[in-house]
Amino acid sequence: MVVTSRRHTLAGELLVLQLAIVVLVLVAVAAVSLAQSKATFDRVEGRRVALLAEEMAGNPLLRTQLVRPAPAETLAPLLQTRLTQSNVSSVTVADEHGEIVAATNPTLVGTLLPVDGTSVSQARGWSGELSVDGVRELVAQAPVLSVEPKHIGEHLGTVMIGRVSPTAWQRLNGASSYLLAYLGIASVLGVVGSWLLARRIKRQTFGLEPREIAGLAEHREAMLFGIAEGVIALDPQLRLTLVNEVGRKLLRLPEDCVGMSLADLGIEGRLYDVLAGTGGKHGAERRDEVVVRRGLVLVMNRMDVMKDGRRLGSVTTLRDRTELAQLERELGSFRSSTELLRAQAHEFSNQLHTISGLIQIGEHDEVVRYVRALRKHRESLDLTLTSRVRDRAVAALLMAKSALAAERKVRLRISELTALERLEPMDAADVATVLGNLVDNALDAAAAAASEHGDDAWVEVELRQDASSVEIVVRDSGPGVAPELAQEVFSHGFTTKAAQGGDRGIGLALTRLVCTRRGGEVSVANTEPGAVFTARMSVGQLADRETEEVR
């Protein structure tokens, strides 16, 4: 048979704790009261017995009988009267040698007077606590002095009057009435207060008991620190209330960031907009937002937390998409090759159809001239690229983009100012990534503007190189970029189509990421017509050093 122990509720635990506190307070009050009562008794009764002892020491009858033989019989009535009238515990008289000659307690006669120090033997008064016949008393001792002309001031003996000190139990019994009243009142207040406090706490904790709250906290910690995504929670005042280790590392937040506001943490721009839920077309709910943060491409999702129509804050999850962006860049190179082959196949198909038609109508001389013209155009394009762009990877990319531009009826021009020497493989890969993204966006913008307005569509590429950097300039005949989106297109991860329609991408965000890692930058400006995208990045050993500084 399994016996389960009954768990205490929050109200019961609060009641027990409060009653324990009340008992401790009462014990402390009782101790203080006893100490104060003893101090008061010693002060008041000490003065009283001292006055009584001095008064009795000055009694003429006592002075006269003290020096005569057998004073006990003559002084006994005087001592008994003083005992009865003054409500004291003992009255004792001793001679000049300290031997008790008369006392209200006859058993003390003949014994030595209990003294403390030498005050009495030196004919000086004294008061304090002494043990008289085994009983602890508060006593006062006063010297009896002669007033005879020839013996004025001579020490004749000592008078001692005592008052039994009440015990701690007696003092406690005297105060038991109000202590019990205090205990009853405190108990009632403790029960009512515990019940009200428990109700308030349970209302704030949604009716959960402490063990259930502790279980939820343990589950939350296990869940937050066991998932691979970053989690950040904010209150309505945009202060961090929760962040797991993954989220803290992705955003590079300090360890004591909980409780700090976004402004205190230096978070601004695009990241601030997503976390705070501002600036979005879908309101506070943000889905799959792309944010570039310190060299990382982050994908974030934000949701408001509501309870009974009241906003409690927000929770944002974030994933590191930097590696995926790298894969997308590598896949983009394969996609460009595929597009090149498809465009060339389409172009060759059209040329073969033209040649076939000329042959069918018997224009053999025209066929020869047409083939020569195609070869001359191809050689001219190859010669232009190879003479101005000596890096094979970048030249191949431009050949692919040229075929795509021709298919979309867009002229791709290479500026006469273009001059690019051979690069290291890693440098060439990053230059090709930036150039490919900028040309793709320019082709989209130019083709869209041509289809809408029927104008001539063109894209011009200019590549310039110096000892430590490469500059890429891409101009197009598109509609340009709105001034308010000039920086947003990079920080928000827009493409040129996103600048027009609001759909988010990663092309320009990746471009800016590559340039930033190489110590450069990318910018956009409007011209007439279209826009000009300018990207600059360092290459060679200088680029490696700048990349480490950025990281």
Side-chain angles (χ1 to χ4, degrees):
M1 178 179 179
V2 179
V3 179
T4 58
S5 59
R6 185 170 178 266
R7 296 180 178 178
H8 299 290
T9 62
L10 178 61
E13 292 179 1
L14 289 176
L15 176 60
V16 171
L17 290 175
Q18 288 201 2
L19 288 179
I21 293 174
V22 168
V23 171
L24 290 176
V25 170
L26 287 178
V27 170
V29 169
V32 172
S33 299
L34 290 177
Q36 189 175 20
S37 174
K38 184 179 184 307
T40 302
F41 177 84
D42 292 344
R43 184 178 67 255
V44 175
E45 291 299 319
R47 291 176 181 175
R48 192 171 74 89
V49 295
L51 289 175
L52 291 174
E54 291 175 359
E55 180 184 353
M56 190 169 181
N59 190 301
L61 178 62
L62 180 65
R63 288 198 189 99
T64 303
Q65 296 299 324
L66 188 59
V67 295
R68 293 181 180 181
E73 297 179 0
T74 55
L75 293 179
L78 177 63
L79 270 60
Q80 192 64 37
T81 300
R82 177 64 63 184
L83 178 71
T84 305
Q85 291 178 350
S86 302
N87 189 26
V88 293
S89 301
S90 64
V91 181
T92 306
V93 178
D95 60 14
E96 58 181 340
H97 303 294
E99 182 181 346
I100 297 176
V101 296
T104 55
N105 184 0
T107 61
L108 297 178
V109 177
T111 62
L112 293 177
L113 183 72
V115 295
D116 187 355
T118 59
S119 298
V120 175
S121 62
Q122 295 176 356
R124 290 185 297 180
W126 179 87
S127 63
E129 282 193 349
L130 288 175
S131 179
V132 181
D133 196 21
V135 179
R136 199 72 177 171
E137 293 185 2
L138 177 65
V139 303
Q141 297 175 345
V144 181
L145 303 177
S146 174
V147 293
E148 294 295 330
K150 296 181 179 180
H151 304 283
I152 292 177
E154 185 179 341
H155 184 209
L156 303 178
T158 303
V159 175
M160 184 180 73
I161 297 180
R163 176 80 160 84
V164 175
S165 300
T167 63
W169 181 251
Q170 289 172 335
R171 293 193 186 100
L172 193 61
N173 285 335
S176 61
S177 58
Y178 65 83
L179 286 178
L180 291 176
Y182 290 164
L183 179 61
I185 294 173
S187 301
V188 172
L189 292 177
V191 171
V192 175
S194 300
W195 180 71
L196 293 176
L197 182 60
R199 284 194 60 187
R200 176 176 176 81
I201 293 177
K202 294 193 75 171
R203 206 166 42 239
Q204 293 178 340
T205 58
F206 307 108
L208 298 176
E209 295 291 341
R211 61 182 180 278
E212 296 172 329
I213 297 174
L216 286 177
E218 293 175 354
H219 295 161
R220 188 201 69 169
E221 293 297 318
M223 179 185 66
L224 289 179
F225 291 92
I227 60 178
E229 293 187 354
V231 179
I232 296 177
L234 300 175
D235 64 9
Q237 286 73 40
L238 301 182
R239 293 190 298 262
L240 264 72
T241 58
L242 180 147
V243 59
N244 66 349
E245 190 67 16
V246 178
R248 192 181 65 81
K249 289 182 177 180
L250 289 178
L251 297 182
R252 300 183 184 178
L253 302 177
E255 293 185 0
D256 58 346
C257 59
V258 175
M260 301 175 66
S261 66
L262 296 182
D264 296 336
L265 294 171
I267 295 177
E268 55 187 14
R270 167 68 169 167
L271 181 58
Y272 180 92
D273 291 340
V274 175
L275 290 176
T278 60
K281 68 176 183 178
H282 301 296
E285 180 178 344
R286 311 295 286 270
R287 294 289 185 181
D288 294 331
E289 299 284 350
V290 178
V291 176
V292 178
R293 169 77 171 177
R294 294 182 178 177
L296 298 178
V297 179
L298 305 177
V299 177
M300 308 177 67
N301 291 274
R302 180 188 183 279
M303 286 290 294
D304 276 339
V305 179
M306 309 295 293
K307 178 66 175 180
D308 299 329
R310 183 167 55 96
R311 181 174 176 271
L312 303 180
S314 64
V315 176
T316 304
T317 61
L318 55 153
R319 303 187 304 275
D320 185 3
R321 198 180 170 187
T322 307
E323 294 184 0
L324 294 178
Q326 182 70 19
L327 292 175
E328 183 173 332
R329 184 183 70 174
E330 295 176 0
L331 290 176
S333 62
F334 290 106
R335 186 167 57 248
S336 297
S337 301
T338 304
E339 292 291 329
L340 170 61
L341 294 175
R342 185 189 58 79
Q344 287 179 341
H346 181 71
E347 183 181 5
F348 292 156
S349 177
N350 291 336
Q351 293 170 357
L352 289 175
H353 289 163
T354 302
I355 294 172
S356 175
L358 291 174
I359 292 175
Q360 290 179 7
I361 63 175
E363 296 290 340
H364 300 91
D365 294 336
E366 189 65 28
V367 171
V368 175
R369 286 193 297 270
Y370 180 70
V371 172
R372 288 176 178 174
L374 291 176
R375 186 183 66 182
K376 185 177 180 180
H377 172 73
R378 186 67 182 182
E379 290 175 350
S380 174
L381 181 59
D382 291 344
L383 181 61
T384 301
L385 281 176
T386 55
S387 62
R388 297 176 183 173
V389 181
R390 298 186 181 278
D391 188 87
R392 295 180 181 179
V394 178
L397 175 66
L398 288 175
M399 289 292 296
K401 299 303 180 184
S402 175
L404 288 176
E407 184 182 16
R408 302 183 64 175
K409 297 181 174 54
V410 178
R411 288 187 297 111
L412 179 62
R413 304 189 305 222
I414 306 299
S415 172
E416 295 181 356
L417 300 177
T418 293
L420 182 67
E421 299 298 328
R422 298 196 62 170
L423 302 171
E424 294 294 329
M426 291 300 297
D427 297 337
D430 285 341
V431 170
T433 297
V434 173
L435 178 61
N437 286 327
L438 294 181
V439 170
D440 285 340
N441 281 279
L443 290 176
D444 292 335
S451 62
E452 183 176 354
H453 304 290
D455 298 333
D456 182 29
W458 54 267
V459 172
E460 184 179 70
V461 175
E462 181 178 332
L463 300 173
R464 293 194 294 265
Q465 181 182 11
D466 56 25
S468 61
S469 64
V470 171
E471 186 176 71
I472 303 170
V473 181
V474 178
R475 303 178 179 86
D476 62 65
S477 59
V481 179
E484 62 272 15
L485 297 178
Q487 292 301 320
E488 187 180 18
V489 291
F490 300 110
S491 60
H492 286 214
F494 279 29
T495 63
T496 51
K497 290 183 291 186
Q500 299 170 12
D503 298 326
R504 285 166 174 75
I506 197 174
L508 293 180
L510 184 59
T511 298
R512 184 179 188 181
L513 177 60
V514 172
C515 292
T516 303
R517 281 184 172 178
R518 286 189 164 269
E521 60 181 357
V522 59
S523 61
V524 60
N526 286 325
T527 60
E528 186 60 37
V532 178
F533 284 83
T534 304
R536 173 178 285 274
M537 66 182 73
S538 299
V539 294
Q541 296 180 353
L542 180 61
D544 297 336
R545 187 163 60 253
E546 291 177 342
T547 301
E548 292 299 325
E549 293 175 357
V550 171
R551 291 177 181 174

